[in-house]
Amino acid sequence: MDTTTTTDNADSTLTSTTTGNSTPWGEWMGSWKINPTQIDQEAERIDRQKAAFGGETISRLKDLNILILGVRGVGIETAKNLILTNVGSVTLVDDEVCTIADLGTNFYIKEGHVTVTEIKKRSIPLSPDTVSKPNKRPRTNTNEATNHTNSMDTTTTTDNADSTLTTTGNSTPWGEWMGSWKINPTQIDQEAERIDRQKAAFGGETISRLKDLNILILGVRGVGIETAKNLILTNVGSVTLVDNEVCTIADLGTNFYIKEGHVGVKTRAEACLEELRTLNPYCRVDIHSGPIQDLLTSANVLNTQRPLGVVVISQLLPKVELCSINETCRSRGIATCLAVTNGVTSSLFSDFGIQHEITDATGEPTQTLAVSQIEVLTDLPDMLQIEGVTNKGGGDGKKVNGKQRVVVVTVAKDNHGLEDGDVVALDDMRGVLESSGGGDGGKDNHGLEDGDVVALDDMRGVLESWNGKTVTVKRVAIASPTEAKLDTNDVAFKEALKLPTSVVLANFGKQYDFYKQKHEDEQSATDLKKKFQFRSITMFNRLALVLTDEDGSMEDFESYQAGGLLNQVRPSITQSYSSLRETLDCATPVPQMLRGEEWEEGKGIEIHLCIAAVLDFQEEEGHWPRIHNDEDAEKVLSICKKISKSRQDTEACWSQKVSWGFPSGEPRELDTKRILRYAKLFGTELTGFCAFLGGAIAQEVLKKSGKFTPLKQWIHHDEQILVCDDVTNTTPTFGSRYDYQISIMGKDFQNQMANQKVFLVGCGALGCEYLKGLALMGVATSPEGKITVTDMDRIEVSNLSRQFLFRQEDVSHPKSVRGALAVQKWNPNLNITAMEQKVGNDTEDIFTDDFWRKLDICWNALDNVMARQYTDSRCLFYSKPLLESGTLGTKCNHEIVLPYRTSTYNDGNENDSNETQIAMCTLRSFPYLPNHCIEFAKQSYFSDYFEFGPEQYETFRKDKATFFEQLESMDAGEQYRSLALIQSFLDMHQEAQSSSNGKMDVGLCVKTAYANLMGDYRTSILNLCHSADAMESSSGKKFWTGTKRRPKAIDWNCEEDKAQLMEYLYSTAGLYASVWGLECIRDRNDFTDLVLSLNLEQPEWNPPSQNVNLSDEDEEGGDSTDKAEKLKADLYSVDTLNLPPANPQDFEKDDDLNFHIDYLTIATNLRAWNYDIKASPRHTVKVTAGRIIPALATTTAMVCGLVNVEYCKLVLGLANTNGRDVFLNSNINLAAGSGNFTTFCPDPPINIETGLDQPKSFTSWDKIEIVNDKEELSVQALMKRVESTFGVKVSRIFASGNQEDKALYNAREEEKLHWEIDIDDTGKASVSSNDIYTAWPQIRMAVQMLSRLPPTSNQRKLFATQVDKVKLSLAKTKEAFMRDFEGKVSQAYYNTYLPKEEEDDKMKYFDKVFEARNYVVLDVDCYVMEGEEKKDITLPPIKYVYSS
């Protein structure tokens, strides 16, 4: 009854037991394929063609390769049709340069391609982003499955894959999820590659929901284009544009896709459409010119089979239309978002309807807490405090058989971090016969509060039925008598908390009872009654589970012994929102302002009234207020006053006094100046505000997915300080792209913009946004102006989702070069230079003093702290303003650094090392979380085999003597690790030499990989269990308790697990091939054949002669020294002359073909299988091991917009006229709602106390400048000058910021001038100071021996020679000191800091920089005496200018 074609090798029997995810029937059916990765997308695309051609012909067409000669009209039509027909490949040949006439027949050639040198051949426009898109074959991310199975199902393999190592046709039963074999672009999920960083921020589920989101954007001026750009980059399902207004020249100031050729010809939507489509080929983008209601009511927007999800209004519409759209949206479950900017005012509004479910309010990672102990407590003592459970906590607990009982969980952290009422889900719980042991104190706080929710997970045995159940948790505290003065920071207290809870309560209960009885005794003896004083001490490593009768039996928890997880759960929140009409007319008495102090003062009232007024104005006059039209402005003011007066005695927005954000009901005068400015500038917009709104509102749109908290509901922001009220400066305008800027800030401002000299450091996501802003604002458009942008990086596919200046064809090209080219096309007058240089201490010959002095501003667009600190230090030195910003997912901040007026970046304590450290003993032997497995795979396996090991081998191969010198600086464990790894590489080489071909080959790489597999996942596991069993037997105590899981070893002979073992061999062998410079085998079938030919056999395991180190300490085993010494002896005799070179691997997370992430994923998940820990998806491994920072286009655009506005203030000279108070720093989290828009004035410079009466302090901006008058100072003269000027004693003069123990002057060296070494007439030696022995330890024995040996001893000559050598060395030291001390400062500096001769490149660089400068910058260590004590004094750096 073979009515269907089954999959290859499908078993025809209907056995009920399935292996992994394999099912023996129904593979051909469609009903079960609810996941897009389960669907053959390619077959879906050609469904209609198959009906025409038949399946056999379709298969033949897929094997057809076609060459097309000529790509004019016929050629492009032919190519288009063949590609759509899904042939195998199409190759184009046409080397003729595009002409303007080609645009009449070739629809993919644009005007920009004609005569452009970068893109000039007709075949180039046919890029993967236009016609020749690869037929998308979704990558099966095999690790997404996280369900526990008894088999080694660490990854999701292809459907119905047989676990045996036979191959059928083109199918391979393993490794489908891996990237290393996908050398053909059609095998790669390009869409997933693009949104890699977004997935790190949103998570896979939200990414899928966003793909179903259809968005309508009304208006494509500045805000509209910014919003569309950000949403398309974020990979939403579709974006539809509505804007039927014809382009104007002023549009070019804020809409970067409108060109001069579009002005008066195309509508804004038409002009932008094609460019927006090229941003992301996986997002549908189109325009709509019909009635908007048609779209609002459509159930099939852009053929997606889905309705609209969100409408974005980016410019005000007539009041009736605006409110009608909002009401229709509310009735159909469509969110409404509004973002408008008028002049220097911007407003955000969101309405998510009558009912909106928020599934994740903040987006912060939820915690997974490992359980180390569970106890069921009965007869709860009075001193135990649990909110709502115990009497002291205000409740009566859960009673069983009349007894009060509670379940208390001890977690593997000192502080669980949950709050009362939090809910947790139980996981990984195991039930056995008895409870034992105390908790592992851990190192961190759990972070949960009362009332938090957790889900139980990973429970076993009797407790397995609790897996997935959610329970509320409460904090556990004890009442400690105040009189006892218990010190919670005391080591004894912390150690006491590691005991079982019942023991802790018993111990502290005695103390409680003692003091309480004492109190009662005292009270009985007096009439003055006092309450018993105690304080609550929370045990932050414990939680109480709040169980209900429906949850199950509390007795289940009495069976707990080991394992278990508590997964924090964030319950959904349902919110309701008011309509646009309600919030405008009656529901917003004190609108929120971006500046907190302006919100508290009620300054948002004028803006809110202005919006209502201009809507009424348009309704009455039939047009919007005109730019700089006094009549229109007065009319708007009149309407404002009328609205405000009519709303008095209501809760609506009207002009009343506000205190700390609360309305008083007392009328106040309207700010008429602000209202008139709003009306006069209503028709203008600034690119900074557009970018700010476009980023913020795009992020608001994404909240339709349920992820993150929407705004509640309005936020306004304005910058009145930017407005120039001098109409002679702002009018008239003459039809330029900068008309809006001129109308607001004036013509002189625009001239200053054109002359600006800007240094932009970085051209990634931030840099692209900043380049856009600079181009739109007209920065450096005069011959005097210049933008210099530098970035060392090349463009990668994952950059395309947020670095919007780049396209697929830019991949692998320099970011700075392609970024500069992109913005220069928008604004041809831009004077911009692109560089690929790092900015740092080693490029000061490129970014010279002259370069820095000429700058007006430095603009950071960097992603690491060290680079930021360097540019900040340069700005400090040259007194230049710095614009600084950074993003992390939905979080962002920006900082304005003004010379002498604000603190600087270096004044903070920023660093890149903010990661939580995990104890090595946990990683090595007792992991219990997926993250432990990832970290061990990265820190131990990958590092040892492919980074540290090859590096040590190469050092040994190149210079054996140097290697052994370096080895002595390592501890015993590190020495053994280094030597053992070198020996493993030598063993590979020796085996290669003894092979039939005498060469290293991939087969040997496979054998080595197999040895690693057996050693790491079998032998070491069996050894660990053997040692633990021996300890249990000898001590009588159970070992595998709490978080310690008993691991299980892999078995090569288990066919069920063979697929994952093959994946390990494949990736490991590929990496070894890279190390040895071999061509790896990428085809999985060929690799399988190679493995089968090697006849690999599992080695027999024998108990180790010495037990494994089972302690909780991080030290290695005690026999490392002996092992290291033996290996040293073996390696001393190795001839390194003919050893082949090895290539250490430089870890790179974004190259799928290099095996790195594939190896880490399978290495992680095999270890997880060993310890019965959930497997980790490949992307999770990539994010964790690669330390990937989540990045979003929305956050980047928003913060860059704010910085652009601050830049305008700088160009206006406000830092000099108004100081820092008018500038704005920010710290914003777009995920967490209105309350997380935090802005503030930049902090003033930090005062650094000198310790002197005068000057008392200085700031980082200050330096002491000493200019040479006639003759250059000596070091001695400089020292005396500093001492006399400040009344100090100098102990050291050295290069500013230099951390080495080098100095131009050091008082300790001067002391050596008084050192003497003498040999008297009798031949005895003496030293004037014992410090000589410290400087030259070898002389001590020589002096002693010369005083003991008789004059006739032959050994005296040897020791006398040693003394003479030290005398000579001391003499040279004195001579060198005096040379520098009495010599010129510049020469002493050169002598001190010139690199060694063997560092030739560094010497040349030092010479080049030194010769170009006429100054040195020095730091001084100095002090004053206060009685007998030295008091350290701190002085600013000294800039000593020694020549003109």
Side-chain angles (χ1 to χ4, degrees):
M1 193 181 294
D2 189 16
T3 59
T4 61
T5 304
T6 58
T7 55
D8 296 336
N9 284 354
D11 192 347
S12 61
T13 62
L14 290 180
T15 56
S16 60
T17 302
T18 61
T19 302
N21 293 322
S22 168
T23 307
W25 56 270
E27 177 65 14
W28 59 273
M29 306 175 83
S31 307
W32 60 272
K33 299 176 181 175
I34 58 175
N35 189 321
T37 60
Q38 297 169 327
I39 300 171
D40 188 343
Q41 302 283 0
E42 184 175 7
E44 293 285 308
R45 289 172 61 101
I46 60 172
D47 185 68
R48 300 300 189 270
Q49 293 169 217
K50 189 173 181 180
F53 290 131
E56 183 176 353
T57 301
I58 288 291
S59 298
R60 290 181 179 179
L61 291 176
K62 194 60 184 170
D63 293 332
L64 192 59
N65 295 323
I66 298 157
L67 173 65
I68 298 177
L69 303 179
V71 196
R72 296 178 70 189
V74 175
I76 197 67
E77 291 284 351
T78 307
K80 174 198 70 177
N81 295 328
L82 288 170
I83 292 168
L84 291 173
T85 308
N86 207 42
V87 296
S89 74
V90 174
T91 303
L92 308 177
V93 174
D94 193 333
D95 294 329
E96 290 187 25
V97 176
C98 301
T99 67
I100 193 65
D102 285 333
L103 276 69
T105 55
N106 187 317
F107 36 86
Y108 286 131
I109 293 178
K110 304 174 185 177
E111 287 187 8
H113 299 142
V114 179
T115 71
V116 176
T117 56
E118 280 285 312
I119 306 173
K120 62 182 181 180
K121 298 178 182 179
R122 288 196 189 109
S123 57
I124 297 298
L126 191 65
S127 69
D129 285 339
T130 52
V131 175
S132 186
K133 294 178 185 175
N135 297 306
K136 182 170 174 277
R137 191 173 93 190
R139 170 182 295 165
T140 302
N141 189 348
T142 62
N143 285 337
E144 296 297 342
T146 57
N147 292 331
H148 275 285
T149 62
N150 290 326
S151 65
M152 194 182 295
D153 188 15
T154 61
T155 57
T156 304
T157 56
T158 52
D159 295 333
N160 281 356
D162 192 338
S163 63
T164 60
L165 292 185
T166 57
T167 59
T168 304
N170 292 322
S171 71
T172 308
W174 55 269
E176 182 66 21
W177 59 272
M178 307 177 88
S180 305
W181 59 270
K182 296 172 182 174
I183 57 177
N184 188 324
T186 61
Q187 297 169 326
I188 300 171
D189 188 343
Q190 298 284 356
E191 184 175 9
E193 292 288 308
R194 290 175 66 97
I195 61 172
D196 186 67
R197 301 304 190 266
Q198 290 169 218
K199 188 175 181 180
F202 288 136
E205 182 179 353
T206 300
I207 288 290
S208 298
R209 290 182 181 179
L210 294 179
K211 197 62 184 169
D212 292 336
L213 194 58
N214 293 324
I215 298 151
L216 172 63
I217 298 178
L218 303 179
V220 197
R221 295 180 73 193
V223 177
I225 195 67
E226 290 281 359
T227 307
K229 173 204 68 178
N230 296 328
L231 290 171
I232 292 167
L233 290 173
T234 307
N235 207 43
V236 295
S238 76
V239 172
T240 302
L241 311 174
V242 173
D243 194 326
N244 295 321
E245 292 188 30
V246 176
C247 300
T248 67
I249 190 66
D251 286 331
L252 276 70
T254 54
N255 187 318
F256 37 91
Y257 287 146
I258 292 179
K259 303 174 184 176
E260 289 190 18
H262 297 144
V263 175
V265 177
K266 288 188 175 185
T267 66
R268 293 193 192 104
E270 291 170 343
C272 302
L273 179 61
E274 290 307 315
E275 288 285 359
L276 287 172
R277 282 176 171 170
T278 66
L279 280 173
N280 182 0
Y282 305 103
C283 176
R284 303 185 189 196
V285 186
D286 212 334
I287 60 177
H288 179 79
S289 56
I292 294 174
Q293 289 294 329
D294 291 351
L295 271 179
L296 297 179
T297 58
S298 173
N300 183 22
V301 174
L302 296 186
N303 295 318
T304 61
Q305 307 302 316
R306 293 183 298 274
L308 285 173
V310 185
V311 172
V312 178
I313 302 167
S314 69
Q315 58 195 65
L316 284 180
L317 302 173
K319 187 174 183 179
V320 173
E321 183 181 0
L322 190 65
C323 294
S324 174
I325 290 171
N326 179 238
E327 291 300 335
T328 302
C329 289
R330 287 173 66 84
S331 67
R332 303 186 69 85
I334 303 170
T336 305
C337 294
L338 180 143
V340 293
T341 181
N342 307 99
V344 294
T345 304
S346 58
S347 300
L348 288 163
F349 166 80
S350 71
D351 171 15
F352 281 77
I354 301 168
Q355 193 173 55
H356 173 68
E357 184 181 20
I358 303 169
T359 57
D360 184 352
T362 66
E364 293 298 318
T366 53
Q367 295 196 72
T368 294
L369 303 172
V371 176
S372 84
Q373 180 63 30
I374 297 180
E375 298 166 82
V376 179
L377 303 181
T378 59
D379 295 328
L380 307 182
D382 289 343
M383 49 88 68
L384 179 64
Q385 297 180 317
I386 302 173
E387 178 68 28
V389 176
T390 62
N391 290 329
K392 289 289 182 185
D396 57 7
K398 182 176 180 179
K399 296 185 177 180
V400 180
N401 295 328
K403 292 185 177 181
Q404 202 175 30
R405 312 187 76 191
V406 66
V407 176
V408 174
V409 178
T410 304
V411 299
K413 282 190 173 185
D414 283 340
N415 187 329
H416 51 63
L418 297 177
E419 297 288 355
D420 277 352
D422 283 1
V423 179
V424 295
L426 303 181
D427 190 4
D428 193 36
M429 304 303 286
R430 303 158 190 234
V432 292
L433 294 178
E434 60 184 40
S435 173
S436 67
D440 172 13
K443 295 185 181 298
D444 300 308
N445 299 341
H446 60 46
L448 301 185
E449 303 289 343
D450 277 356
D452 280 358
V453 179
V454 295
L456 282 67
D457 193 7
D458 205 22
M459 306 287 186
R460 304 300 167 88
V462 175
L463 289 170
E464 188 170 359
S465 63
W466 287 82
N467 283 335
K469 286 188 178 182
T470 57
V471 296
T472 302
V473 296
K474 297 285 186 177
R475 290 188 168 192
V476 178
I478 56 173
S480 175
T482 305
E483 191 179 352
K485 298 180 180 179
L486 187 64
D487 183 3
T488 57
N489 293 317
D490 186 67
V491 174
F493 174 79
K494 293 180 179 180
E495 288 299 314
L497 290 187
K498 296 181 180 180
L499 298 171
T501 306
S502 57
V503 177
V504 172
L505 295 178
N507 290 341
F508 289 106
K510 294 175 183 177
Q511 181 191 71
Y512 178 87
D513 292 341
F514 171 80
Y515 282 99
K516 188 174 184 182
Q517 184 62 50
K518 178 183 175 184
H519 171 77
E520 291 174 352
D521 292 344
E522 291 173 350
Q523 293 300 297
S524 63
T526 180
D527 295 332
L528 185 62
K529 302 299 181 183
K530 294 182 179 180
K531 287 185 177 181
F532 178 50
Q533 300 294 317
F534 64 88
R535 60 186 179 125
S536 294
I537 298 176
T538 302
M539 296 189 287
F540 287 109
N541 66 336
R542 283 169 169 80
L543 292 164
L545 303 185
V546 180
L547 304 177
T548 64
D549 292 334
E550 291 77 23
D551 286 329
S553 173
M554 188 179 289
E555 281 76 11
D556 290 349
F557 290 94
E558 294 178 344
S559 68
Y560 172 84
Q561 183 187 13
L565 300 174
L566 302 181
N567 296 323
Q568 187 181 10
V569 176
R570 289 211 175 92
S572 296
I573 303 169
T574 300
Q575 295 276 15
S576 62
Y577 298 84
S578 301
S579 70
L580 181 61
R581 185 186 296 276
E582 290 172 328
T583 60
L584 278 174
D585 293 347
C586 58
T588 315
V590 184
Q592 180 176 344
M593 294 290 288
L594 186 65
R595 277 190 176 94
E597 63 271 21
E598 291 185 349
W599 185 10
E600 293 171 355
E601 294 167 6
K603 290 189 176 181
I605 290 173
E606 273 78 4
I607 299 176
H608 218 63
L609 289 173
C610 280
I611 293 174
V614 295
L615 289 172
D616 286 353
F617 176 94
Q618 194 280 334
E619 200 169 42
E620 294 175 13
E621 302 294 329
H623 64 82
W624 299 105
R626 291 163 291 187
I627 299 174
H628 285 302
N629 187 289
D630 292 336
E631 183 181 349
D632 288 356
E634 289 295 338
K635 181 71 181 287
V636 170
L637 176 60
S638 174
I639 297 173
C640 270
K641 291 178 178 178
K642 180 180 177 182
I643 294 173
S644 180
K645 186 174 182 180
S646 69
R647 292 177 177 177
Q648 289 188 11
D649 302 324
T650 72
E651 294 184 359
C653 180
W654 60 280
S655 182
Q656 59 181 311
K657 292 182 180 179
V658 176
S659 177
W660 298 103
F662 295 99
S664 66
E666 182 182 348
R668 67 166 173 82
E669 292 295 321
L670 282 168
D671 187 342
T672 57
K673 186 175 184 179
R674 175 176 280 192
I675 295 170
L676 289 172
R677 281 175 169 176
Y678 180 91
K680 290 179 180 181
L681 300 175
F682 178 83
T684 66
E685 56 184 9
L686 294 177
T687 184
F689 286 109
C690 294
F692 161 66
L693 290 174
I697 208 66
Q699 186 64 48
E700 203 66 13
V701 168
L702 304 180
K703 296 174 185 178
K704 180 65 176 175
S705 67
K707 185 95 168 178
F708 309 139
T709 303
L711 299 178
K712 194 78 175 174
Q713 289 183 262
W714 284 90
I715 293 181
H716 300 303
H717 177 50
D718 76 349
E719 290 287 0
Q720 295 293 314
I721 195 70
L722 296 177
V723 179
C724 174
D725 291 317
D726 182 359
V727 293
T728 62
N729 193 7
T730 58
T731 61
T733 54
F734 298 100
S736 85
R737 65 197 304 155
Y738 311 120
D739 277 359
Y740 292 156
Q741 278 187 177
I742 292 171
S743 296
I744 296 169
M745 292 177 282
K747 298 172 184 177
D748 55 354
F749 165 82
Q750 198 58 51
N751 287 335
Q752 292 176 58
M753 275 288 194
N755 294 329
Q756 285 283 293
K757 298 175 184 65
V758 176
F759 186 26
L760 178 59
V761 188
C763 194
L766 292 167
C768 284
E769 286 290 333
Y770 288 138
L771 277 181
K772 173 203 69 184
L774 292 170
L776 293 177
M777 289 186 289
V779 175
T781 49
S782 76
E784 289 75 28
K786 185 177 182 180
I787 298 170
T788 303
V789 56
T790 187
D791 196 309
M792 297 172 62
D793 288 349
R794 300 268 164 155
I795 299 162
E796 298 172 353
V797 172
S798 62
N799 299 148
L800 302 181
S801 67
R802 61 201 187 283
Q803 298 175 18
F804 80 106
L805 296 182
F806 310 136
R807 300 294 185 271
Q808 187 68 41
E809 58 266 27
D810 295 318
V811 171
S812 80
H813 289 279
K815 288 184 177 182
S816 57
V817 174
R818 288 304 173 103
L821 285 172
V823 295
Q824 215 163 20
K825 290 175 183 176
W826 300 344
N827 191 341
N829 294 324
L830 208 62
N831 184 5
I832 185 168
T833 298
M835 304 178 71
E836 298 178 58
Q837 298 292 337
K838 171 189 173 185
V839 181
N841 287 315
D842 51 355
T843 54
E844 292 182 3
D845 59 332
I846 298 169
F847 303 108
T848 62
D849 290 333
D850 189 55
F851 172 84
W852 281 98
R853 288 192 193 104
K854 290 179 179 178
L855 291 178
D856 291 306
I857 191 168
C858 178
W859 209 318
N860 271 356
L862 295 161
D863 61 359
N864 69 88
V865 171
M866 187 176 295
R868 287 181 171 125
Q869 289 173 334
Y870 176 79
T871 54
D872 180 78
S873 69
R874 294 292 83 194
C875 290
L876 278 171
F877 185 75
Y878 297 102
S879 302
K880 301 296 179 182
L882 172 68
L883 297 178
E884 175 61 69
S885 56
T887 70
L888 178 65
T890 60
K891 300 173 186 175
C892 61
N893 70 289
H894 83 266
E895 181 178 2
I896 312 302
V897 179
L898 304 174
Y900 305 105
R901 290 173 172 81
T902 71
S903 60
T904 77
Y905 188 82
N906 278 298
D907 285 338
N909 295 313
E910 298 289 335
N911 62 75
D912 288 317
S913 56
N914 57 354
E915 299 160 14
T916 301
Q917 298 296 314
I918 305 170
M920 183 51 68
C921 63
T922 298
L923 296 180
R924 184 179 63 243
S925 301
F926 311 119
Y928 52 84
L929 294 174
N931 190 50
H932 296 165
C933 301
I934 298 173
E935 291 297 334
F936 194 72
K938 177 67 163 49
Q939 294 182 28
S940 183
Y941 295 151
F942 187 89
S943 176
D944 279 3
Y945 298 145
F946 309 117
E947 292 178 320
F948 181 73
E951 286 169 0
Q952 294 296 296
Y953 168 84
E954 274 297 282
T955 304
F956 173 79
R957 184 185 71 83
K958 292 177 179 178
D959 190 339
K960 188 161 59 173
T962 299
F963 166 76
F964 281 108
E965 285 180 13
Q966 295 176 356
L967 195 69
E968 294 306 315
S969 64
M970 302 179 185
D971 59 37
E974 194 76 356
Q975 283 191 24
Y976 175 68
R977 175 181 169 224
S978 171
L979 294 166
L981 288 168
I982 292 173
Q983 186 62 59
S984 70
F985 283 98
L986 294 176
D987 291 343
M988 288 185 72
H989 171 61
Q990 186 174 357
E991 187 171 352
Q993 285 187 313
S994 61
S995 65
S996 57
N997 59 10
K999 297 179 180 179
M1000 190 78 67
D1001 58 21
V1002 178
L1004 184 53
C1005 294
V1006 174
K1007 290 181 180 178
T1008 306
Y1010 183 74
N1012 292 353
L1013 177 68
M1014 291 294 107
D1016 293 332
Y1017 301 99
R1018 181 171 176 79
T1019 303
S1020 63
I1021 298 298
L1022 293 173
N1023 290 347
L1024 178 64
C1025 292
H1026 171 79
S1027 300
D1029 291 344
M1031 178 178 284
E1032 279 193 349
S1033 177
S1034 62
S1035 67
K1037 295 181 179 179
K1038 291 187 177 295
F1039 183 81
W1040 302 108
T1041 60
T1043 59
K1044 292 179 180 176
R1045 299 163 177 247
R1046 184 182 181 91
K1048 55 185 182 294
I1050 62 167
D1051 185 355
W1052 176 253
N1053 298 317
C1054 177
E1055 290 298 327
E1056 187 178 351
D1057 301 336
K1058 195 62 69 71
Q1060 284 68 48
L1061 304 183
M1062 284 296 296
E1063 289 163 355
Y1064 178 88
L1065 294 182
Y1066 177 77
S1067 57
T1068 310
L1071 276 167
Y1072 273 119
S1074 297
V1075 168
W1076 293 116
L1078 304 174
E1079 188 70 30
C1080 59
I1081 296 177
R1082 296 197 180 274
D1083 185 274
R1084 290 173 294 159
N1085 293 330
D1086 293 344
F1087 187 83
T1088 299
D1089 293 340
L1090 173 61
V1091 172
L1092 291 172
S1093 71
L1094 295 175
N1095 296 318
L1096 301 173
E1097 294 186 2
Q1098 185 164 283
E1100 182 180 351
W1101 175 77
N1102 294 307
S1105 58
Q1106 184 174 351
N1107 284 337
V1108 175
N1109 176 20
L1110 297 175
S1111 72
D1112 289 338
E1113 303 300 324
D1114 288 346
E1115 288 82 7
E1116 298 289 341
D1119 62 337
S1120 295
T1121 302
D1122 295 338
K1123 291 179 180 179
E1125 290 303 319
K1126 183 179 184 307
L1127 280 171
K1128 280 182 191 177
D1130 294 339
L1131 295 184
Y1132 272 127
S1133 60
V1134 172
D1135 182 4
T1136 61
L1137 187 61
N1138 296 317
L1139 292 178
N1143 305 305
Q1145 298 296 287
D1146 186 10
F1147 177 68
E1148 173 50 57
K1149 60 187 177 293
D1150 288 317
D1151 180 3
D1152 276 357
L1153 294 177
N1154 66 9
F1155 296 96
H1156 293 188
I1157 298 300
D1158 286 351
Y1159 171 81
L1160 286 176
T1161 302
I1162 190 59
T1164 291
N1165 288 331
L1166 283 179
R1167 186 164 177 81
W1169 182 89
N1170 282 146
Y1171 284 89
D1172 204 9
I1173 299 170
K1174 286 189 174 182
S1176 298
R1178 186 182 192 273
H1179 186 263
T1180 299
V1181 175
K1182 180 177 180 178
V1183 169
T1184 304
R1187 306 294 191 263
I1188 288 178
I1189 299 174
L1192 299 173
T1194 51
T1195 317
T1196 304
M1198 192 217 67
V1199 74
C1200 290
L1202 289 175
V1203 175
N1204 285 340
V1205 173
E1206 299 306 301
Y1207 176 58
C1208 291
K1209 297 177 187 177
L1210 280 171
V1211 177
L1212 284 169
L1214 299 181
N1216 295 327
T1217 59
N1218 296 72
R1220 65 184 176 86
D1221 291 343
V1222 298
F1223 289 85
L1224 203 65
N1225 288 357
S1226 73
N1227 196 337
I1228 295 174
N1229 183 357
L1230 288 176
S1234 302
N1236 286 272
F1237 280 70
T1238 307
T1239 62
F1240 45 92
C1241 175
D1243 291 331
I1246 294 176
N1247 283 323
I1248 303 167
E1249 299 295 327
T1250 62
L1252 297 171
D1253 292 334
Q1254 193 65 30
K1256 288 184 177 297
S1257 64
F1258 63 94
T1259 75
S1260 300
W1261 294 101
D1262 294 317
K1263 53 183 175 284
I1264 301 167
E1265 190 157 334
I1266 300 176
V1267 180
N1268 194 51
D1269 295 329
K1270 298 178 182 178
E1271 189 174 293
E1272 183 178 345
L1273 296 176
S1274 66
V1275 173
Q1276 184 179 22
L1278 177 64
M1279 181 187 75
K1280 289 182 178 179
R1281 184 161 177 174
V1282 172
E1283 290 182 338
S1284 62
T1285 301
F1286 297 101
V1288 297
K1289 184 68 177 175
V1290 172
S1291 57
R1292 190 164 172 259
I1293 302 175
F1294 56 99
S1296 181
N1298 190 280
Q1299 303 298 318
E1300 300 177 275
D1301 189 23
K1302 293 181 179 180
L1304 283 71
Y1305 168 78
N1306 193 325
R1308 294 201 310 267
E1309 294 297 311
E1310 187 175 13
E1311 291 175 3
K1312 293 180 181 178
L1313 295 177
H1314 307 292
W1315 289 1
E1316 297 295 341
I1317 303 173
D1318 292 316
I1319 299 180
D1320 62 18
D1321 296 339
T1322 64
K1324 291 183 179 180
S1326 61
V1327 297
S1328 62
S1329 170
N1330 287 333
D1331 290 335
I1332 295 176
Y1333 294 142
T1334 304
W1336 291 280
Q1338 66 271 31
I1339 198 177
R1340 183 186 296 272
M1341 179 176 285
V1343 171
Q1344 291 174 349
M1345 295 308 294
L1346 286 175
S1347 64
R1348 294 175 186 172
L1349 293 172
T1352 56
S1353 173
N1354 294 330
Q1355 291 182 314
R1356 290 187 63 85
K1357 185 176 181 180
L1358 172 64
F1359 294 113
T1361 300
Q1362 288 182 353
V1363 172
D1364 288 339
K1365 285 182 178 179
V1366 173
K1367 284 185 66 177
L1368 180 61
S1369 180
L1370 176 59
K1372 288 181 177 180
T1373 299
K1374 293 178 180 180
E1375 181 184 349
F1377 173 83
M1378 291 305 298
R1379 178 198 65 199
D1380 289 341
F1381 190 54
E1382 296 177 345
K1384 296 178 179 179
V1385 170
S1386 60
Q1387 189 60 50
Y1389 185 97
Y1390 185 86
N1391 295 340
T1392 304
Y1393 294 106
L1394 179 69
K1396 297 177 182 177
E1397 291 184 5
E1398 57 267 25
E1399 300 175 304
D1400 186 56
D1401 290 342
K1402 290 183 179 180
M1403 286 184 66
K1404 291 178 180 177
Y1405 171 74
F1406 181 88
D1407 281 337
K1408 188 175 181 180
V1409 173
F1410 187 81
E1411 289 172 8
R1413 289 177 174 165
N1414 66 340
Y1415 67 89
V1416 292
V1417 184
L1418 305 169
D1419 283 337
V1420 176
D1421 287 342
C1422 55
Y1423 62 92
V1424 295
M1425 296 300 298
E1426 291 188 346
E1428 299 295 321
E1429 300 292 328
K1430 285 183 179 180
K1431 177 185 176 182
D1432 288 336
I1433 301 299
T1434 304
L1435 294 177
I1438 297 174
K1439 180 183 178 183
Y1440 174 58
V1441 182
Y1442 51 81
S1443 67
S1444 58

